Amino acid sequence: MTAEAPRGADAPPELIQLLTPEGERVEHPDYDIDLTAEEVRSLYRDLVLVRRVDLEAVALQRQGELGLWASLLGQEAAQVGSGRALTDADMAFPTYREHGVAWCRDVDPVKLLGMFRGVNHGGWDPYEHNFHLYTIVIGSQTLHAVGYAMGIQRDGAEAAAIVYFGDGATSQGDVNESFIWASVFNAPVVFFCQNNQWAISEPLEKQTRIPLYKRASGFGFPGIRVDGNDVFACLAVTRKALADARSGQGPTLIEAFTYRMGAHTTSDDPTRYRVAGELEAWKLKDPIERVKAYLFKNQLADQEFFDKVDAEADALGKDVRRRCLELPDPGPEALFDHVYGAPHALVDEEREQYLAYLAGFETGAER
Ligand SMILES: Cc1ncc(C[n+]2csc(CCOP(=O)(O)OP(=O)(O)O)c2C)c(N)n1
Ligand SMILES: [Mg+2]
């Protein structure tokens, strides 16, 4: 330990990496992954397509078609790698930024856009995709995930839950409480923290004095740091953590070390609080470029393949834009839908009152 190291710091953090930023494969004794050329091409396609959907959503917001958008730019590998590690039976609990995981769960991107356009309250059936609704209240979904995991544990299901949250969320009480519950009940849950270095304008050093993954040991379960810009490593590490959870070995905290390359949301201007050099340094670790380099170097894909993926991405961007603009505005009564799972007398009464109130404006009879 050097004189400058913070009190309590011990060994330097280990980072699981299977693919370097230059596209070189690295072996790791605990995290071997054997991907076919087809599987690597498929991961590359996922990464490119989710980045394209994200880009289109940012443009739509800038043109006034969405109220807000939270970009995943830079975090594609963390999301696609972990998302592709899930089985159909596993359940994912996202924040508001997990568009790449939504993609892996076959949620139509237009449904995500609908929420940010204000025409739905979530837009998809969580059980149809085993992908919970987006959660804005920071960290609260960790409690939902642990509760769900304890439920499937009691059902004896061959499944696990995975919950996504950010570096900033680790300072929330909910997240720490969920760690305790998961630990003492040995719940089949994977805590997937995307450490993108920022919580809006608050840097990582204001959240923690030790690497986040090391927090897990204090709660009594393993923590691991993975290169969040390495889709192979994210896939391998998440696969193992999920398998451990399903086989009764309890929770794991995965810290995916990555970077939010864009603004926090479209309402934010990161040039006010972070230096440009930081972004430039992370651009060299781009999650897509390294897979492309790997495919090229190993002659697993040719230019025709890359052109085809780019064309598919453009077509997807256009299609998402067109269908977003065509989304119907819901009637005001839709506000009362889905408050409960079944009809409810009080909600019905409130809906009627509200519609009568609105009708008053048309006739001028009621105020
Ligand atoms: C309980 C709660 N407090 C504050 C906020 C406002 N808020 C929205 S996003 C955010 C930062 C979250 O940072 P992090 O967990 O690192 O996730 P990231 O946005 O970087 O993915 C905050 C404080 C909120 N949504 N919920
Ligand atoms: Mg963050």
Side-chain angles (χ1 to χ4, degrees):
M1 190 165 127
T2 65
E4 293 79 32
R7 284 186 305 131
D10 45 29
E14 197 201 354
L15 182 81
I16 308 296
Q17 186 184 70
L18 301 179
L19 186 66
T20 70
E22 294 74 35
E24 300 291 344
R25 270 293 266 121
V26 188
E27 297 303 325
H28 191 287
D30 301 332
Y31 294 99
D32 194 20
I33 194 163
D34 198 12
L35 296 166
T36 64
E38 187 52 44
E39 284 168 332
V40 180
R41 285 193 294 265
S42 177
L43 287 171
Y44 174 82
R45 175 179 170 272
D46 284 338
L47 295 170
V48 171
L49 295 188
V50 299
R51 180 171 286 189
R52 186 63 181 83
V53 168
D54 188 73
L55 185 73
E56 198 65 40
V58 172
L60 281 163
Q61 195 284 334
R62 291 293 184 240
Q63 292 158 3
E65 300 294 346
L66 302 181
L68 184 79
W69 184 252
S71 169
L72 64 46
L73 188 65
Q75 299 178 218
E76 296 87 350
Q79 298 192 10
V80 167
S82 59
R84 287 296 177 210
L86 297 166
T87 65
D88 286 350
D90 296 333
M91 182 75 173
F93 290 79
T95 70
Y96 39 77
R97 205 186 289 287
E98 270 69 70
H99 322 311
V101 187
W103 172 262
C104 297
R105 299 310 269 172
D106 286 332
V107 177
D108 180 352
V110 176
K111 293 188 172 168
L112 309 177
L113 267 64
M115 188 184 128
F116 289 95
R117 192 173 164 84
V119 300
N120 68 44
H121 288 153
W124 60 93
D125 177 349
Y127 289 110
E128 196 184 316
H129 303 277
N130 270 6
F131 185 71
H132 197 263
L133 295 181
Y134 274 2
T135 303
I136 311 278
V137 180
I138 299 297
S140 57
Q141 73 281 7
T142 56
L143 292 170
H144 309 157
V146 173
Y148 183 93
M150 289 171 62
I152 54 179
Q153 183 182 45
R154 278 149 187 74
D155 291 345
E158 272 280 304
I162 187 168
V163 56
Y164 292 86
F165 53 98
D167 43 292
T170 63
S171 300
Q172 289 289 122
D174 282 2
V175 175
N176 290 270
E177 288 160 23
S178 76
F179 285 176
I180 293 170
W181 278 77
S183 175
V184 299
F185 287 98
N186 207 40
V189 59
V190 174
F191 294 105
F192 196 92
C193 175
Q194 287 170 85
N195 175 1
N196 64 7
Q197 314 300 324
W198 291 92
I200 315 185
S201 56
E202 204 71 352
L204 181 66
E205 60 264 26
K206 289 288 186 294
Q207 310 291 349
T208 187
R209 297 298 298 256
I210 61 163
L212 288 175
Y213 76 97
K214 292 194 176 183
R215 293 244 181 107
S217 73
F219 291 92
F221 54 89
I224 187 156
R225 180 182 273 184
V226 60
D227 181 343
N229 286 15
D230 172 355
V231 72
F232 295 177
C234 289
L235 178 61
V237 166
T238 314
R239 255 187 200 163
K240 178 164 188 318
L242 287 166
D244 287 351
R246 287 187 216 106
S247 62
Q249 295 182 62
T252 302
L253 169 63
I254 298 174
E255 177 192 1
F257 202 76
T258 182
Y259 190 71
R260 193 197 79 206
M261 290 172 86
H264 169 68
T265 66
T266 46
S267 298
D268 171 49
D269 173 8
T271 64
R272 307 263 307 250
Y273 56 83
R274 66 184 191 188
V275 294
E278 191 179 287
L279 176 60
E280 293 311 310
W282 277 93
K283 275 186 187 166
L284 301 174
K285 302 180 199 169
D286 188 278
I288 301 185
E289 287 309 313
R290 68 178 74 185
V291 183
K292 190 173 191 178
Y294 174 79
L295 284 168
F296 250 133
K297 273 186 210 172
N298 294 284
Q299 298 178 342
L300 301 176
D302 53 15
Q303 192 54 47
E304 196 188 327
F305 167 77
F306 294 113
D307 291 346
K308 221 176 96 196
V309 174
D310 284 346
E312 191 183 355
D314 273 342
L316 176 65
K318 282 194 188 110
D319 177 61
V320 162
R321 163 173 292 268
R322 181 185 53 77
R323 289 190 297 123
C324 174
L325 299 183
E326 285 171 7
L327 283 171
D329 282 343
E333 71 283 0
L335 195 66
F336 298 88
D337 295 345
H338 311 301
V339 175
Y340 293 107
H344 190 287
L346 188 62
V347 176
D348 290 345
E349 195 184 311
E350 287 177 350
R351 182 191 294 107
E352 268 167 42
Q353 275 178 5
Y354 186 57
L355 288 177
Y357 167 75
L358 291 177
F361 289 98
E362 281 160 24
T363 63
E366 214 176 322
R367 284 272 178 274

